[in-house]
Amino acid sequence: MQIVRTDVSRTTASTGEPVLRVLFCGEGGDCVTVDMASIEAGNDDAALDRARAILVQTATFGLAANDYEARSNGNFDEIAITTASDGNEGVYIFEYRDGEGSRQVPLSRMPSFDAAREEAIRCAIDLLVDLEPGTDALTGWLVRVRDERGELLCAIDVEEAEAARQLRQ
């Protein structure tokens, strides 16, 4: 979907809780809404970055879209580039630790390397919640960021993610 408009608003969920809502509208009238339960102080650009990350994670982790994807090893034939910015950004590949292996998500456009690294830290913090002592390795990398050629730019490990999580609380 080619994004033609985005809206960021603060609203109330049906449960009565405040949510931050990001609406992505595409050509042809298709729209996707992302509601984020925890409203953090920040600007609309930060909300857009977080909403894009949620969409990428939702689209990448979970159920396969078809039988081919279910049988695939994660190397799909189609690569989609997503964006909701002015085109002056860089292209990054996010790689997430998945048990003993890893998963790469489709290319993402981010405003800068700093924005990509910050997104990697936010995602690593989210992954910390899923780690189980005694079952999962509580060391090593959680999220890696690569450039469009596949060159490693940074890796966020468990220790860095935990330190960032504690700092943000």
Side-chain angles (χ1 to χ4, degrees), residues 4-153:
V4 295
R5 182 174 59 96
T6 58
D7 290 317
V8 178
S9 61
R10 283 140 188 87
T11 188
T12 304
S14 60
T15 60
E17 297 176 55
V19 295
L20 183 61
R21 177 168 290 158
V22 177
L23 176 67
F24 296 97
C25 295
E27 293 177 337
D30 292 333
C31 293
V32 176
T33 302
V34 177
D35 285 348
M36 294 174 276
S38 61
I39 299 176
E40 298 176 19
N43 58 28
D44 287 356
D45 289 337
L48 286 169
D49 288 344
R50 182 68 183 133
R52 280 197 310 245
I54 289 170
L55 287 174
V56 168
Q57 290 173 350
T58 302
T60 309
F61 297 101
L63 300 176
N66 55 46
D67 288 341
Y68 171 75
E69 287 183 13
R71 292 187 311 271
S72 174
N73 65 358
N75 297 324
F76 305 121
D77 294 331
E78 181 179 337
I79 295 178
I81 298 176
T82 60
T83 185
S85 61
D86 64 4
N88 293 325
E89 63 284 320
V91 176
Y92 300 94
I93 301 167
F94 289 85
E95 182 179 11
Y96 298 91
R97 186 168 87 183
D98 185 13
E100 295 297 318
S102 66
R103 298 182 90 174
Q104 286 187 353
V105 298
L107 299 173
S108 297
R109 290 192 184 275
M110 302 293 286
S112 65
F113 170 70
D114 290 338
R117 188 175 190 292
E118 181 61 29
E119 183 56 32
I121 291 170
R122 278 193 296 267
C123 293
I125 291 170
D126 289 345
L127 290 173
L128 282 175
V129 176
D130 296 330
L131 295 179
E132 296 180 28
T135 304
D136 295 316
L138 300 179
T139 60
W141 69 275
L142 293 172
V143 180
R144 294 185 216 178
V145 179
R146 298 179 182 278
D147 66 16
E148 61 189 318
R149 295 179 314 278
E151 298 290 324
L152 182 63
L153 300 175

